[in-house]
Amino acid sequence: MAASDQHRSRHHDESSSRPNKKKKVSRNPETNLLFNLNSCSKSKDLSAALALYDAAVTSSEVRLSQQHFQTLVYLCSASISDTSLRSLAIDRGFEIFDCMVSSGISPNEASVTSVARLAAAKGDGDYAFKVVKDFVSVGGVSIPRLRTYAPALLCFCERLEAEKGYEVEEHMEAAGIALEEAEILALLKVSAATGRENKVYRYLHKLREYVGGVCEETSKIIGEWFCGEKAGEVSDNGIGSDVGMLREAVLKNGGGWHGHGWVGEGKWIVKKGNVSSTGRCLSCCEQLACVDTNEVETQKFVDSLVALAMERKAKMNSCETNAVFSEFQDWLEKHGDYEAIVDGANIGLYQQNFSDGGFSLPQLESVVKELYRESGNNKWPLILLHKRRVTALLENPTHRNLVEEWISNGVLYATPPGSNDDWYWLYAAAKLKCLLVTNDEMRDHIFELLGSTFFQKWKERHQVRYTFVKGNLKLEMPSPFSVVIQESEKGSWHFPVSCENNEESSRTWMCISRQSVLDSLKSNGKLATS
């Protein structure tokens, strides 16, 4: 035999004696069942999944686990939209869930949500709510979510069982779960349908609090309520005559709403139109507000900033660093008559990432001068800059005079070594309720501790961005009005309707005012102007 043939023969013998590495690992019966159930779930094959379940129940080889039951109950709930499977899915879903509980297996949030959906599909809101309450009372790692409560809430609202719907909402609030537009709309509809005007008012404010622009369906329901007979019968019981009280409430709330109840009396006029670039409603000529955070929220924000700043400094080197931040707080109390705070480092280092780039004092000077020019009270802004940077600028003969002038005039504050500039300029802007000039996105995880929803609202109202195009400065001031639901001291309402392209110029607004308010505007010649 040739040498090459002998080599091939030996190689064949060796390879045939090796174990096959691609050989499938054998699964136990439980793993096989779960794999097959998941396949049925993906393909939405309820019949096949139920056959597998029935076989497993009669078999002594398979021990059903939470995952098996969860997959089955989920598939049943996902099948209720198919009219041919609806009855089967509901009946078998409850049967499987009962078997799960009787087997001593605690359902998790996903299983409870699926069963609540089955109960709601059957029209049994009471059971949908009961299963959630039982789940909450047991406690554990798994906690309820909005989707867990939604089936019971929506079921009660659809069946006009308003009080039961309100009870679900109270339970959700106790669990710290915020409503979204679909759930608020359901509560608004049932309140309107059952003539509960105070509840309608409450849910309009829930929409204001949790939703930006309302969807078309929500705007339709709102319009139907205000055009209805019941809305026209609702009066303010004298609240509207206390203009000072309403005005003070609007101011305390940060603008855009007072929250004291319906104002005025008589018929409502519902119009759809646009708002000018300055925030003037083109339907009623009312000026929309630039809504800020309210006094309580703002103070909590300031307190949180101080606490976080102190905590971070304490980790670095404590007593000394805590003292220097306190010094800044005291200094700001004495000198805090500013309309704008400037993040000096952010502006000075803007677009300086080139070979000869460095800290650009001319850029910072341009921003300072522009803010002074735009200030109606001829006020200089306050620049926050690290002491190390200030020292370097003072050592430069070209910059020394300007920097010394800023320091002597209280325009520049040098943050001490070991400190983070961010805490200083953010605290100053929050404490003084003024503008903050920076392009910093403030996405640091520490900022997230301040609360994303609140912080985002605060930035929209206070942050001024900037650009330099061929050396020319452009400040991007906050919008002159907020695209949120607004309630005026006259009792009028404005609802922004969601638009696909987010172009504010083309956004539709619902303008809702009492006929008496519009008549007053006409008599004063203001409505004709619009």
Side-chain angles (χ1 to χ4, degrees):
M1 182 183 292
S4 60
D5 291 338
Q6 288 179 342
H7 176 75
R8 279 196 297 269
S9 175
R10 185 164 59 251
H11 178 75
H12 173 74
D13 292 340
E14 288 173 356
S15 62
S16 62
S17 65
R18 292 173 187 162
N20 184 2
K21 292 184 179 180
K22 294 184 179 181
K23 185 177 180 180
K24 290 183 179 179
V25 179
S26 60
R27 299 191 185 96
N28 60 39
E30 286 79 11
T31 305
N32 271 329
L33 176 60
L34 185 59
F35 177 82
N36 291 330
L37 286 174
N38 284 332
S39 297
C40 292
S41 181
K42 289 177 182 178
S43 60
K44 298 183 179 178
D45 192 343
L46 177 62
S47 299
L50 292 174
L52 288 169
Y53 167 72
D54 291 335
V57 169
T58 56
S59 170
S60 58
E61 297 179 359
V62 181
R63 185 177 179 180
L64 294 172
S65 69
Q66 186 188 70
Q67 286 181 298
H68 295 118
F69 285 114
Q70 177 185 319
T71 305
L72 285 158
V73 175
Y74 166 75
L75 183 52
C76 287
S77 70
S79 301
I80 56 179
S81 56
D82 186 335
T83 53
S84 64
L85 295 174
R86 185 182 180 84
S87 180
L88 174 67
I90 292 173
D91 293 341
R92 295 304 304 272
F94 280 121
E95 175 196 321
I96 292 166
F97 183 71
D98 289 342
C99 182
M100 178 184 189
V101 175
S102 62
S103 299
I105 298 173
S106 299
N108 58 13
E109 183 273 331
S111 300
V112 171
T113 298
S114 296
V115 174
R117 287 171 179 165
L118 290 169
K122 193 179 178 182
D124 191 351
D126 292 311
Y127 186 81
F129 190 25
K130 177 184 179 299
V131 74
V132 179
K133 288 189 289 185
D134 290 345
F135 173 65
V136 172
S137 66
V138 172
V141 178
S142 188
I143 57 175
R145 296 159 60 181
L146 175 62
R147 69 177 189 176
T148 321
Y149 283 99
L153 178 66
L154 298 177
C155 181
F156 286 140
C157 291
E158 286 172 8
R159 297 170 68 86
L160 299 184
E161 296 180 276
E163 293 300 332
K164 290 182 178 181
Y166 302 149
E167 185 185 350
V168 176
E169 187 210 351
E170 288 176 12
H171 211 270
M172 293 172 71
E173 193 171 328
I177 297 171
L179 297 169
E180 292 185 0
E181 186 171 5
E183 290 71 36
I184 300 173
L185 176 58
L187 288 161
L188 179 66
K189 284 174 70 174
V190 72
S191 299
T194 55
R196 290 169 165 84
E197 68 272 11
N198 290 334
K199 289 290 187 179
V200 171
Y201 184 83
R202 180 174 188 270
Y203 293 117
L204 288 178
H205 275 290
K206 284 284 184 182
L207 283 172
R208 178 195 56 76
E209 186 177 357
Y210 294 115
V211 181
V214 299
C215 68
E216 286 290 349
E217 183 185 359
T218 301
S219 69
K220 180 182 176 183
I221 298 303
I222 292 170
E224 288 175 355
W225 157 258
F226 280 103
C227 289
E229 185 177 344
K230 180 67 177 177
E233 294 172 355
V234 176
S235 64
D236 62 16
N237 295 320
I239 293 174
S241 60
D242 195 343
V243 178
M245 181 269 290
L246 292 174
R247 193 164 293 167
E248 184 180 344
V250 170
L251 187 64
K252 187 176 180 180
N253 291 336
W257 66 285
H258 57 77
H260 279 284
W262 302 109
V263 173
E265 55 185 30
K267 182 181 177 182
W268 295 88
I269 303 298
V270 178
K271 296 181 181 180
K272 283 193 174 183
N274 299 107
V275 169
S276 73
S277 59
T278 59
R280 182 76 61 182
C281 175
L282 300 181
S283 297
C284 71
C285 209
E286 187 166 306
Q287 175 64 43
L288 297 184
C290 186
V291 180
D292 202 349
T293 53
N294 64 44
E295 290 181 1
V296 175
E297 288 176 322
T298 302
Q299 190 55 51
K300 283 183 179 179
F301 182 34
V302 171
D303 293 342
S304 297
L305 281 169
V306 173
L308 287 168
M310 294 294 191
E311 180 184 339
R312 189 164 182 176
K313 289 173 179 297
K315 290 179 181 177
M316 297 168 61
N317 176 13
S318 334
C319 297
E320 182 182 349
T321 48
N322 281 345
V324 294
F325 191 77
S326 297
E327 285 176 14
F328 175 64
Q329 290 178 275
D330 294 338
W331 183 90
L332 200 62
E333 285 289 340
K334 297 175 183 176
H335 303 85
D337 189 22
Y338 299 98
E339 294 180 351
I341 306 299
V342 177
D343 177 3
N346 185 266
I347 295 167
L349 296 171
Y350 178 75
Q351 291 184 339
Q352 297 300 304
N353 53 341
F354 52 91
S355 58
D356 296 324
F359 187 90
S360 175
L361 191 65
Q363 285 185 174
L364 182 55
E365 184 182 14
S366 295
V367 170
V368 171
K369 284 184 174 179
E370 182 63 17
L371 289 170
Y372 178 80
R373 189 185 67 80
E374 290 196 5
S375 169
N377 301 313
N378 294 327
K379 289 184 180 179
W380 291 101
L382 173 63
I383 308 165
L384 274 303
L385 198 58
H386 198 276
K387 190 170 186 178
R388 173 175 47 82
R389 185 80 63 185
V390 173
T391 301
L393 290 171
L394 287 170
E395 290 172 353
N396 186 327
T398 307
H399 303 323
R400 185 182 301 125
N401 290 341
L402 177 60
V403 175
E404 287 178 344
E405 181 185 335
W406 281 348
I407 294 172
S408 63
N409 291 333
V411 179
L412 174 62
Y413 186 94
T415 60
S419 297
N420 188 334
D421 303 12
D422 299 5
W423 294 113
Y424 286 79
W425 49 252
L426 188 55
Y427 171 79
K431 178 68 176 176
L432 303 181
K433 302 175 185 175
C434 63
L435 298 174
L436 170 62
V437 187
T438 181
N439 281 351
D440 193 320
E441 293 295 340
M442 293 176 267
R443 289 176 178 158
D444 187 288
H445 72 282
I446 290 293
F447 292 130
E448 292 175 7
L449 297 176
L450 301 172
S452 57
T453 304
F454 167 83
F455 195 38
Q456 185 60 37
K457 182 165 73 170
W458 185 88
K459 287 197 297 181
E460 287 175 1
R461 173 65 182 87
H462 294 271
Q463 186 174 6
V464 177
R465 300 178 187 276
Y466 62 88
T467 55
F468 283 94
V469 180
K470 295 181 179 179
N472 296 316
L473 169 67
K474 179 183 178 183
L475 293 179
E476 299 173 16
M477 306 299 284
S479 172
F481 69 101
S482 299
V483 185
V484 294
I485 296 169
Q486 300 199 22
E487 173 197 35
S488 78
E489 60 196 51
K490 298 174 184 176
S492 299
W493 290 82
H494 288 87
F495 297 86
V497 181
S498 299
C499 55
E500 293 181 2
N501 57 13
N502 286 325
E503 285 291 332
E504 292 307 321
S505 59
S506 61
R507 182 188 294 277
T508 298
W509 284 74
M510 287 183 70
C511 169
I512 304 174
S513 301
R514 297 274 194 183
Q515 179 69 64
S516 56
V517 172
L518 297 178
D519 290 343
S520 175
L521 290 171
K522 282 180 182 178
S523 63
N524 293 330
K526 292 182 180 179
L527 194 59
T529 304
S530 69

